[in-house]
Amino acid sequence: MGLMRLLPRPGNRPEPSGDAVPESTPEPAPEPVLTAVPEPLSRPDVEGRAVTRVIALANQKGGVAKTTTTLNLGVAFHEQGHRVLIVDLDPQGNLTMSQGMNPDAIERSMFDVLVHRIPISDVIEHREVDIAVASIDLAGAELALSSMIGRERALEKALVEVRDHYDFVLIDTPPSLGLLTINAFVAATGVIVPVQCEYLSLRGLVQLENTLAMVRENLNPHVGVEGIVATMYDGRTLHSREAIEILEENFGDLVFRTRIRKTVRYAEAPVKGSSVLKYDPTGPAAEAYRELAKEVLHGAEAREHA
């Protein structure tokens, strides 16, 4: 069942003609709107070591808590003993600011990694977790990369240097489906889609899957949606509850059971340059991301027993 069945466009369906296919001819089954990751992400390599999971946090709509989810999910993994790198691929630099750094004062950033091919280790800062920082220069990265051969693989190649040093690499992407986001999809083993619990946020999932389909066909055949996380959820409103129902009816087990509820704590924590897990470690906001981390770690098994 596709998303567009629940979000119809009246008047766009063609009227049947005299040349219509006979009723006895079955129609082909509709393609699913989102394609899940085709195989387990924690599979061991040939020597028995766990393969690093590179997860892109993506949604072309802004303001859906991509940055909040990238940071707090990463810190939750770190709390459980995992080695974590978070990558700020958004020219706004909100992830960098969320760890107490000023993007305007950073001399070398992910722009230099992607465009000038400096080692990514040169732009990694050690905070609550390791973070590859962004600066305002990143706004010019897409234009600078556009003339380069292999421009879609710049991030994938940069991560080779440090990939074995981490269990998780989480990539915060810009609110677009441009070249920076494509780089994240090419480097990723899976994608997590934060979706605000609003009607208009759901429609963008179709465009995101179209982009992922092109990446799978041409650049990274293994990337798919690992899960959808509902953010800014307010259980007191009918609109939020209906948005959850639409997500679950259309995408089933791809929707994480954890709901990231609205709270001022998510806005307060970055002011202090910290994650919500450090800012309010025993509060419900921190617990929500710990629960989400368990779901991501254990996949379908955790969802079945939640």
Side-chain angles (χ1 to χ4, degrees), residues 260-287:
I260 307 301
R261 297 177 179 271
K262 280 186 176 180
T263 172
V264 72
R265 292 290 185 267
Y266 295 126
E268 292 173 345
V271 177
K272 302 295 184 181
S274 74
S275 69
V276 75
L277 285 84
K278 180 180 178 182
Y279 176 72
D280 185 20
T282 60
E287 287 302 320

Side-chain angles (χ1 to χ4, degrees), residues 7 21 78 139 163 196 201:
L7 306 178
V21 179
H78 181 68
R163 188 164 175 158
Q196 187 177 357
S201 294

Side-chain angles (χ1 to χ4, degrees), residues 112-123:
D112 300 285
V113 173
L114 299 175
V115 176
H116 299 142
R117 307 295 171 92
I118 73 169
I120 194 171
S121 57
D122 288 357
V123 305

Side-chain angles (χ1 to χ4, degrees), residues 10-303:
N12 287 351
R13 294 183 180 178
E15 294 295 328
S17 67
D19 297 327
V21 179
E23 292 184 2
S24 59
T25 302
E27 295 183 0
E31 292 293 326
V33 174
L34 292 183
T35 304
V37 176
E39 54 185 283
L41 295 175
S42 294
R43 61 192 183 281
D45 64 11
V46 292
E47 297 181 9
R49 298 169 301 193
V51 172
T52 303
R53 293 171 68 173
V54 181
I55 301 173
L57 284 291
N59 190 327
Q60 70 270 29
K61 187 178 185 302
V64 297
K66 286 192 301 291
T67 299
T68 298
T69 300
T70 304
L71 175 59
N72 290 291
L73 185 59
V75 174
F77 287 149
H78 181 68
E79 280 189 351
Q80 298 185 36
H82 297 282
R83 301 167 301 167
V84 178
L85 171 66
I86 56 177
V87 178
D88 194 348
L89 216 59
D90 187 346
Q92 298 177 78
N94 289 337
L95 185 63
T96 299
M97 286 189 288
S98 294
Q99 285 290 272
M101 291 170 281
N102 180 4
D104 296 334
I106 289 173
E107 294 184 1
R108 292 191 294 183
S109 72
M110 284 302 300
F111 172 84
D112 300 285
V113 173
L114 299 175
V115 176
H116 299 142
R117 307 295 171 92
I118 73 169
I120 194 171
S121 57
D122 288 357
V123 305
I124 291 176
E125 299 287 340
H126 306 288
R127 295 298 194 269
E128 289 179 75
V129 292
D130 288 356
I131 174 172
V133 298
S135 69
I136 190 63
D137 292 342
L138 199 54
E142 296 203 0
L143 180 61
L145 285 170
S146 63
S147 61
M148 294 184 177
I149 296 175
R151 54 189 175 271
E152 300 93 347
R153 298 192 180 275
L155 179 60
E156 179 188 36
K157 292 176 181 177
L159 288 174
V160 169
E161 176 201 0
V162 298
R163 188 164 175 158
D164 289 344
H165 301 160
Y166 298 100
D167 303 308
F168 287 92
V169 177
L170 304 183
I171 307 168
D172 185 25
T173 62
S176 71
L177 294 176
L179 192 51
L180 289 175
T181 301
I182 298 298
N183 263 266
F185 289 166
V186 172
T189 56
V191 177
I192 289 179
V193 187
V195 177
Q196 187 177 357
C197 290
E198 289 186 1
Y199 175 85
L200 293 178
S201 294
L202 307 182
R203 297 186 67 94
L205 292 174
V206 177
Q207 186 181 356
L208 186 146
E209 167 55 16
N210 290 338
T211 301
L212 272 175
M214 290 188 291
V215 171
R216 275 194 299 274
E217 182 177 351
N218 298 292
L219 296 163
N220 180 3
H222 303 295
V223 70
V225 175
E226 186 168 344
I228 300 169
V229 54
T231 64
M232 303 182 190
Y233 176 70
D234 186 348
R236 300 169 298 178
T237 67
L238 177 62
H239 192 75
S240 278
R241 296 196 299 271
E242 287 180 339
I244 293 293
E245 289 175 6
I246 291 173
L247 282 174
E248 291 182 337
E249 183 174 350
N250 281 270
F251 309 123
D253 285 344
L254 278 179
V255 182
F256 291 115
R257 293 186 180 274
T258 303
R259 310 283 181 254
I260 307 301
R261 297 177 179 271
K262 280 186 176 180
T263 172
V264 72
R265 292 290 185 267
Y266 295 126
E268 292 173 345
V271 177
K272 302 295 184 181
S274 74
S275 69
V276 75
L277 285 84
K278 180 180 178 182
Y279 176 72
D280 185 20
T282 60
E287 287 302 320
Y289 276 105
R290 292 187 181 107
E291 289 302 312
L292 179 61
K294 292 177 185 176
E295 285 199 75
V296 177
L297 284 167
H298 302 296
E301 179 183 351
R303 298 181 208 180

